[in-house]
Amino acid sequence: MPTTGVSLGQLLLALDATLVRLVQAPRGLDLPVASAALIDSDDVRLGLAPSAGSADLFFLLGVSEADARTWVDQQTARRAPTAIFIKEPSAAVVARAVDAGTAVVAVDPRARWERLYRLVNHVFEHHGDRAEHDSGTDLFGLAQSIADRTHGMVSIEDAQSHVLAYSASNDEADDLRRLSILGRAGPSEHLAWIAQWGIFDALRAKPDVVRVAERPELGLRPRLAIGIFQPSGDERRAPAFAGTIWVQQGSRPLAEDSDDVLRGAAVLAARIMARLAATPTTHAVRVQELLGLRTDGEPLDVEAVARDLGVDPEGRAAVIGFDGTQQGSRLADVLALSASAFRSDAQLASFRSRVYVLFPSTGKPAAVTSWIRGTVAALRAELGMELHAVIAAPVAGLAGAAAARLEVDRVLDSAERHPGALGAVTSLAEARTTVLLDEIVTAIASDERLIDPRVRTLRADEPVLADTLRAYLDSFGDVATAAQWLHVHPNTVRYRVRRIEQLLGATLADTDVRLLLSLSLRATQP
């Protein structure tokens, strides 16, 4: 992750007291931070936790007090990390960290780690570089500006109601605002009431201000909201709904011109969101280049890219492709969290419905496969995500990452064409036969000249004989096996085979004929 000049203090201000609280900062808040890594209890127990030199900040996920103390003690002989983020830190952990010169930041117990991880990365990339870049890419800055003008507390969400940015909160923030920022769904009774009154429908209908009345019995403060719409690029199509700006009122009345402020803010937010979507970060561009997802036609300097990313260009790499159609941006977020916890040097890139994970240096491929299977199973059980994953490993250095990604895509493409043909997790070697045969059949099916016309005629005029021919060929000419497959008597199969040979004017004893007919049957399979 490239350095953007964000200090620890700036980061904490951007994250807001809703998410985090500074406990101790023995070396002050002016230390620069530019990278984060994740550690879980297994990392500490198995001795696999990344060292302090690999990142400035560490998120300790589900790490017990004893394991947290152990890990902090291990850092005393190395460069102490700038800060650790932990839920409900004990006095003993705080004392050990302070002795090592490490700041301790308490994370709200209700916060989702994936939300915090996403927001920290957003701050690194877009919030701390205002002196060098146009603030037109800073949603946090826009949220605070709206708050200053309206005298309310602002949050900006995407179309799936994920909070992208927010202004500073105070003690008057209600549960709906706090839980939204923490990455949790709002209280069900709140959301039900908002939906019942058609507020969500009104926000998606047109870019106009919607008023949400106070509900004291629910602890819901008054709000203003407006939908964010982006031009579709086609005059015949209406602008697309892209998100919402919410302004929660506190004890101070909202400004009289708040409606006008929100109308202008919705236009600015749409522009910023479009720029962020169209302009990936420098880090993301470099990862895309390594994976061959972006090219300018010039040979890629792999060593220079590796230096920018801070990874080893010559390690035994692994490339994993995940396909989660309809899962949206959340798939990238949760995979980033899981991959970074597994390997602190993990790199991610997204393209359409796919997310690619690149591990520059791995041990045995079995360890990576185990992580993939665990991740796919966990996302299915916890979030209801159905994923396909394909691993290419080992890859000899980062120079081979782009070619490996292309091979991964071939497997995922085949899985899309034939759901169920491959398992949820597979390797290139395991899928090779299935994929090559699928690609050959797909190529034949796309060119009418390559399909034997006799097969088309047989399918049209004698579909039962066509099915018998497929069963007979797939059974290597074993009549008993074909009969069992078709649930008929072997003599029936013998009779049908003779009839097929008569209609085709060819003998099925010829190996070339069998190959041609088999491929044509597969290419014309309904």
Side-chain angles (χ1 to χ4, degrees), residues 38 42 80 83 94 101 346 357 452:
L38 301 103
D42 287 341
V94 173
V357 176
D452 191 323

Side-chain angles (χ1 to χ4, degrees), residues 183-229:
R184 301 287 177 179
S188 59
E189 61 270 23
H190 292 187
L191 299 179
W193 181 82
I194 291 174
Q196 176 184 349
W197 284 90
I199 293 169
F200 290 138
D201 291 338
L203 289 170
R204 287 168 169 77
K206 59 181 179 179
D208 204 357
V209 176
V210 176
R211 299 182 181 278
V212 183
E214 183 176 17
R215 289 296 300 268
E217 72 278 14
L218 297 177
L220 190 66
R221 305 292 299 238
R223 277 173 168 72
L224 296 181
I226 190 169
I228 302 168
F229 290 82

Side-chain angles (χ1 to χ4, degrees), residues 287-294 300 302 319 358 395 397-409:
V287 178
Q288 290 171 354
E289 290 173 341
L290 272 182
L291 292 173
L293 296 168
R294 176 187 293 263
L300 182 64
V302 174
V319 176
L358 168 64
V395 177
L398 296 185
R405 195 270 307 166
L406 287 172
E407 293 300 307
V408 165
D409 273 345

Side-chain angles (χ1 to χ4, degrees), residues 196-503:
Q196 176 184 349
W197 284 90
I199 293 169
F200 290 138
D201 291 338
L203 289 170
R204 287 168 169 77
K206 59 181 179 179
D208 204 357
V209 176
V210 176
R211 299 182 181 278
V212 183
E214 183 176 17
R215 289 296 300 268
E217 72 278 14
L218 297 177
L220 190 66
R221 305 292 299 238
R223 277 173 168 72
L224 296 181
I226 190 169
I228 302 168
F229 290 82
Q230 292 181 336
S232 63
D234 185 342
E235 294 181 355
R236 296 169 295 180
R237 297 173 58 190
F241 177 74
T244 310
I245 301 175
W246 296 90
V247 181
Q248 184 215 307
Q249 180 179 326
S251 57
R252 182 182 181 183
L254 296 178
E256 292 183 0
D257 63 346
S258 291
D259 286 15
D260 290 336
V261 171
L262 280 181
R263 292 187 186 96
V267 174
L268 292 176
R271 292 175 183 170
I272 293 174
M273 292 166 70
R275 289 172 191 160
L276 291 176
T279 308
T281 64
T282 301
H283 184 93
V285 168
R286 296 308 253 169
V287 178
Q288 290 171 354
E289 290 173 341
L290 272 182
L291 292 173
L293 296 168
R294 176 187 293 263
T295 178
D296 58 6
E298 297 295 327
L300 182 64
D301 187 339
V302 174
E303 291 190 359
V305 175
R307 284 195 302 271
D308 290 345
L309 297 176
V311 298
D312 180 7
E314 303 296 337
R316 286 164 54 91
V319 176
I320 305 99
F322 293 85
D323 196 323
T325 305
Q326 305 302 322
Q327 301 298 341
S329 62
R330 192 180 186 193
L331 175 60
D333 293 338
V334 295
L335 284 177
L337 187 70
S338 179
S340 298
F342 176 67
R343 293 282 308 183
S344 62
D345 58 354
Q347 311 295 323
L348 275 85
S350 301
F351 186 72
R352 295 176 181 165
S353 66
R354 294 177 185 173
V355 177
Y356 304 93
V357 176
L358 168 64
F359 293 124
S361 299
T362 61
K364 297 180 178 179
V368 181
T369 301
S370 178
W371 169 77
I372 298 171
R373 294 189 186 280
T375 298
V376 169
L379 295 185
R380 180 188 299 115
E382 297 173 10
L383 302 177
M385 291 185 176
E386 293 293 336
L387 304 178
H388 283 102
V390 179
I391 175 176
V395 177
L398 296 185
R405 195 270 307 166
L406 287 172
E407 293 300 307
V408 165
D409 273 345
R410 290 175 63 189
V411 181
L412 291 175
D413 289 343
S414 180
E416 279 187 358
R417 289 191 292 266
H418 304 284
L422 298 169
V425 179
T426 188
S427 67
L428 296 184
E430 292 169 337
R432 182 170 290 112
T433 298
T434 300
V435 171
L436 284 174
L437 181 57
D438 170 56
E439 291 179 339
I440 291 170
V441 171
T442 300
I444 292 172
S446 65
D447 190 340
E448 186 75 21
R449 299 171 303 170
L450 300 180
I451 298 175
D452 191 323
R454 296 173 297 180
V455 169
R456 288 202 180 279
T457 302
L458 190 67
R459 280 204 181 278
D461 298 342
E462 301 283 354
V464 172
L465 293 184
D467 291 340
T468 300
L469 177 58
R470 173 70 185 271
Y472 179 77
L473 293 174
D474 286 354
S475 300
F476 303 101
D478 188 311
V479 171
T481 301
Q484 187 175 15
W485 190 351
L486 295 168
H487 304 290
V488 298
H489 193 278
N491 285 339
T492 302
V493 175
R494 293 188 182 95
Y495 168 76
R496 291 179 182 176
V497 168
R498 289 195 296 270
R499 177 64 177 154
I500 290 169
E501 289 181 324
Q502 291 173 356
L503 291 174

Side-chain angles (χ1 to χ4, degrees), residues 123-191:
V123 173
F124 286 157
E125 295 291 355
H126 301 294
H127 192 58
D129 53 0
R130 296 181 192 174
E132 300 178 17
H133 296 82
D134 186 348
S135 60
T137 59
D138 184 8
L139 284 174
F140 277 92
L142 176 63
Q144 191 59 53
S145 297
I146 300 169
D148 293 341
R149 288 290 310 278
T150 62
H151 310 153
M153 288 169 281
V154 177
S155 59
I156 302 175
E157 300 179 354
D158 65 14
Q160 290 74 43
S161 298
H162 298 147
V163 175
L164 301 176
Y166 48 84
S167 66
S169 299
N170 58 36
D171 293 340
E172 297 172 342
D174 61 18
D175 281 347
L176 182 58
R177 174 179 170 82
R178 285 193 294 267
L179 291 175
S180 296
I181 291 175
L182 291 170
R184 301 287 177 179
S188 59
E189 61 270 23
H190 292 187
L191 299 179

Side-chain angles (χ1 to χ4, degrees), residues 60-71:
L60 276 59
L61 286 68
V63 176
S64 67
E65 177 182 334
D67 285 342
R69 292 202 310 268
T70 298
W71 182 79

